[in-house]
Amino acid sequence: MKGKIGIQMIIGALLLLCLIQTVAATTTIVVAAADASPASKAAAQIVCPGTNDQAWINEAFNRLPAEGGIVQLTEGTFHSSGWIYPSQNSQFLGSGEDKTTIDVYNATDAYQPIHVQQDNVLIKGFTLRGEGFFLIRTNHVTLQDITATSIGADGVRKPSGGNGMFFIWVDNNYTGDITFQNCKAIDCNTHGFNMNANRDTGINSTGTRTGTNSYAISNLKFVNCQAIRCGYGVADGSSSEFATGFDIQEDNDLQNVEMDNCLAEDNWENGFHFEPGYLGTKNVVLNNCVSRNNGQRNPAVEPFNDVFVSGYYIHRNAILNNCVAINNKNAGFFTHDGSNTTFNNCVDIGSTYGFKIVKGSSDITLNNCQGRNEKAWAFWTAFSDKVTVKNFFQANAGGKSGYQDNIGFYYGSPKYEFSTTNSNFDITAFGSSLPIINEAGNGNTYSLKTASADQVPTVTDITAATVPAVYVTGYSATTQGATQVSQVVAVATTVAPAATQTTTTTSDGWSGFGKSFGSTSSGFGSFGSSSSFQSGGNALGVAVSSSQSIAASIGSTWGGFTGRTFGF
């Protein structure tokens, strides 16, 4: 009986604790913009002056109880010149992407993030403009219904201090359980989405990267996200010539990633980018994604051996289902040093090359895929092994060097120009009189057919989003005045006006490190045997030690090369 009573008391205590936590979670601090309506200001606990508004937003987070709560922004434009710090267990909410704007500009320092360094944070419902970006360095984070752009509220494109508008930086033992839903990066001077890590970049005697700190991003999800017109070379404030739509993997290991219904359009380099080679990659799945017109603004021309400019640059332990590539400058689907990657019902339309499987790839499968109206080869593979092409249909391939498809050629490079072996090619072609493929290599089987009628696929289509216009409230700080007011919050805790603006900006020891290293992506040492570069791609090099010969087994020692160092 005593045991039963004890259990009941424990259950009762837990229920009471949950109730307390639920009540605390409803604590809300409303922060009004300087141009918010009089009614919104009257309902707010804090009214911003219209300059250095980040100080007052941070004050709102400081006023939340330890259990967390909500910082609610009203309609209008918040003008920030510094870092914003969401607190643990908090929600940072705007009034909608079309109603709330955070406009960021600092004349002396463009590195001004919303810095998510505490876990259990939800951010939702506003447009971030100018120099602002999201820097995430923790776990259990969700971003929803956010638009980020480098174009300020004044219509002027601002320089980018961050390495991505949505930037995850791993410098701890666990970063993950992060979801982006309905997040859009549009007209950005840097990557739309960028994942990266601080890890040891030592080089062993064979030139392969090594390190004890292989930091991973785990359980990462993108739903209905878009990256549009990210990167402008080095013009208009871009930090480098390497900028992609979704840069999901740079120096970070990657585990359990799902991307659903995402769009990459008109980005400077790749639409979707994953580094090949040395990185630990597990369980990457892309469903119903679209990558179109990427690389078209980039002035690079064939042979594209110093740029990517492709739709999907993806390699290891990945599955792509019903994904579409349209009119990308280089390849629609590009696998380099790949392994255990499958393309199901994927379609390329109008890229220079449809599917490009090269440079040490093995165990790559195409099921029921199509290449349509490619400017050159619909399918291209070289220096690879165990490539399986099942029920591949190609229509109106432009062809090159006398064939619709190619095995073995790789820009005339003696390092990589070798046939693909132990592979199966089941290809049906329509609309071209050229031979389908040069039957090169050892251990391959071929089933090659010519169709009398086209087979037009049903493909995924995603409409590109636009940046919401800056909401005009009809009010201004000048006409209303800007004061900080005090009212009672939801749990009857009186919030008194702060004597000082107690932000944590000056005490954040990481800020200097982030500017020096985080913003340059993978600028951490040398790659290969003598090449050094940053993810920005300003320094490209090729250096192969004598021990890294072509005789090396495919997919083994090639991991030290990485995509940017060793051709494309």
Side-chain angles (χ1 to χ4, degrees):
M1 178 65 71
K2 291 181 178 179
K4 183 176 181 181
I5 294 174
I7 292 172
Q8 291 174 337
M9 292 178 64
I10 291 171
I11 293 173
L14 290 173
L15 290 173
L16 179 60
L17 179 60
C18 291
L19 179 62
I20 293 172
Q21 289 177 336
T22 300
V23 172
T26 63
T27 301
T28 300
I29 307 294
V30 177
V31 182
D35 62 344
S37 69
S40 293
K41 288 186 175 182
Q45 284 74 52
I46 295 175
V47 177
C48 291
T51 59
N52 298 319
D53 289 344
Q54 78 283 349
W56 302 106
I57 295 172
N58 287 328
E59 170 67 11
F61 283 110
N62 289 337
R63 294 186 183 191
L64 292 177
E67 296 83 3
I70 299 171
V71 170
Q72 174 70 60
L73 304 182
T74 67
E75 82 286 355
T77 299
F78 296 82
H79 296 276
S80 173
S81 60
W83 295 42
I84 294 173
Y85 297 86
S87 56
Q88 188 173 24
N89 304 319
S90 68
Q91 298 181 37
F92 185 25
L93 308 179
S95 298
E97 294 167 88
D98 59 341
K99 295 292 180 63
T100 302
T101 298
I102 299 179
D103 189 42
V104 183
Y105 178 67
N106 184 308
T108 60
D109 185 358
Y111 201 86
Q112 302 299 335
I114 295 176
H115 187 190
V116 185
Q117 57 182 336
Q118 305 292 331
D119 61 0
N120 296 318
V121 172
L122 168 66
I123 302 176
K124 181 178 180 179
F126 57 84
T127 294
L128 182 64
R129 285 180 171 268
E131 295 171 347
F133 65 99
F134 295 92
L135 169 61
I136 301 171
R137 296 173 50 235
T138 185
N139 53 67
H140 306 299
V141 177
T142 298
L143 275 69
Q144 293 181 349
D145 305 326
I146 300 286
T147 297
T149 179
S150 295
I151 299 175
D154 58 2
V156 177
R157 186 181 303 280
K158 300 299 193 299
S160 294
N163 208 47
M165 304 304 283
F166 300 90
F167 179 26
I168 299 178
W169 175 250
V170 186
D171 57 357
N172 52 67
N173 290 329
Y174 180 75
T175 299
D177 292 314
I178 298 170
T179 296
F180 299 96
Q181 184 171 2
N182 300 322
C183 291
K184 285 82 64 178
I186 306 175
D187 291 312
C188 307
N189 286 344
T190 184
H191 300 280
F193 297 76
N194 178 246
M195 281 78 246
N196 211 334
N198 176 21
R199 57 189 278 163
D200 186 344
T201 55
I203 307 296
N204 66 19
S205 60
T206 67
T208 301
R209 294 189 59 169
T210 63
T212 57
N213 297 323
S214 295
Y215 293 134
I217 299 174
S218 300
N219 305 322
L220 182 61
K221 191 167 186 177
F222 302 82
V223 181
N224 300 326
C225 292
Q226 299 191 9
I228 301 170
R229 292 183 300 279
C230 298
Y232 292 85
V234 293
D236 296 321
S238 291
S239 58
S240 75
E241 289 199 23
F242 178 68
T244 71
F246 294 86
D247 188 1
I248 306 301
Q249 185 171 37
E250 279 293 332
D251 251 7
N252 55 291
D253 290 342
L254 202 58
Q255 299 174 3
N256 305 325
V257 177
E258 183 177 345
M259 305 186 75
D260 297 328
N261 307 308
C262 293
L263 170 67
E265 179 174 284
D266 193 15
N267 297 293
W268 186 256
E269 275 279 357
N270 293 329
F272 296 87
H273 179 93
F274 297 75
E275 281 293 301
Y278 61 90
L279 299 170
T281 309
K282 300 177 182 178
N283 303 324
V284 175
V285 179
L286 278 68
N287 297 312
N288 304 306
C289 294
V290 175
S291 191
R292 62 182 172 234
N293 299 327
N294 295 289
Q296 295 295 354
R297 289 181 291 109
N298 193 311
V301 296
E302 282 193 283
F304 305 131
N305 57 358
D306 59 353
V307 291
F308 298 98
V309 292
S310 293
Y312 301 81
Y313 186 63
I314 188 165
H315 321 281
R316 292 177 172 263
N317 299 316
I319 299 174
L320 282 73
N321 298 312
N322 305 307
C323 292
V324 181
I326 302 172
N327 193 39
N328 297 286
K329 196 166 194 178
N330 183 4
F333 300 87
F334 186 173
T335 295
H336 158 204
D337 191 26
S339 176
N340 191 34
T341 291
T342 299
F343 301 89
N344 294 317
N345 303 303
C346 294
V347 178
D348 174 75
I349 303 172
S351 302
T352 300
Y353 307 103
F355 293 78
K356 183 176 179 181
I357 314 297
V358 295
K359 295 184 66 176
S361 294
S362 180
D363 294 302
I364 309 298
T365 300
L366 277 65
N367 290 316
N368 303 310
C369 295
Q370 278 208 27
R372 304 183 60 81
N373 304 317
E374 281 77 19
K375 299 173 182 66
W377 296 315
F379 180 82
W380 176 9
T381 183
F383 191 21
S384 296
D385 188 59
K386 298 178 182 176
V387 176
T388 301
V389 180
K390 298 179 181 178
N391 195 31
F392 185 80
F393 186 89
Q394 59 193 50
N396 307 312
K400 185 178 178 180
S401 302
Y403 290 92
Q404 297 180 52
D405 302 327
N406 180 269
I407 298 177
F409 172 78
Y410 199 82
Y411 302 127
S413 169
K415 298 182 181 70
Y416 309 116
E417 190 153 308
F418 292 87
S419 294
T420 292
T421 57
N422 303 311
S423 299
N424 301 290
F425 302 97
D426 174 12
I427 301 173
T428 300
F430 169 80
S432 173
S433 60
L434 292 175
I436 294 175
I437 194 168
N438 57 323
E439 299 183 27
N442 299 319
N444 298 332
T445 61
Y446 300 89
S447 175
L448 307 177
K449 300 175 285 292
T450 299
S452 59
D454 198 358
Q455 298 177 15
V456 180
T458 300
V459 297
T460 299
D461 187 26
I462 300 175
T463 301
T466 58
V467 177
V470 178
Y471 183 64
V472 177
T473 66
Y475 303 95
S476 70
T478 302
T479 57
Q480 296 185 92
T483 58
Q484 183 185 22
V485 298
S486 175
Q487 294 185 351
V488 177
V489 298
V491 292
T493 300
T494 300
V495 178
T500 59
Q501 298 171 7
T502 55
T503 67
T504 56
T505 304
T506 57
S507 63
D508 185 351
W510 191 83
S511 77
F513 179 84
K515 296 169 193 173
S516 300
F517 293 93
S519 64
T520 62
S521 190
S522 55
F524 294 94
S526 60
F527 286 62
S529 57
S530 65
S531 172
S532 179
F533 71 92
Q534 293 179 344
S535 173
N538 292 330
L540 293 167
V542 175
V544 185
S545 67
S546 59
S547 63
Q548 293 171 316
S549 66
I550 295 303
S553 60
I554 290 175
S556 57
T557 63
W558 300 99
F561 289 8
T562 84
R564 220 127 43 250
T565 313
F566 282 84
F568 308 93

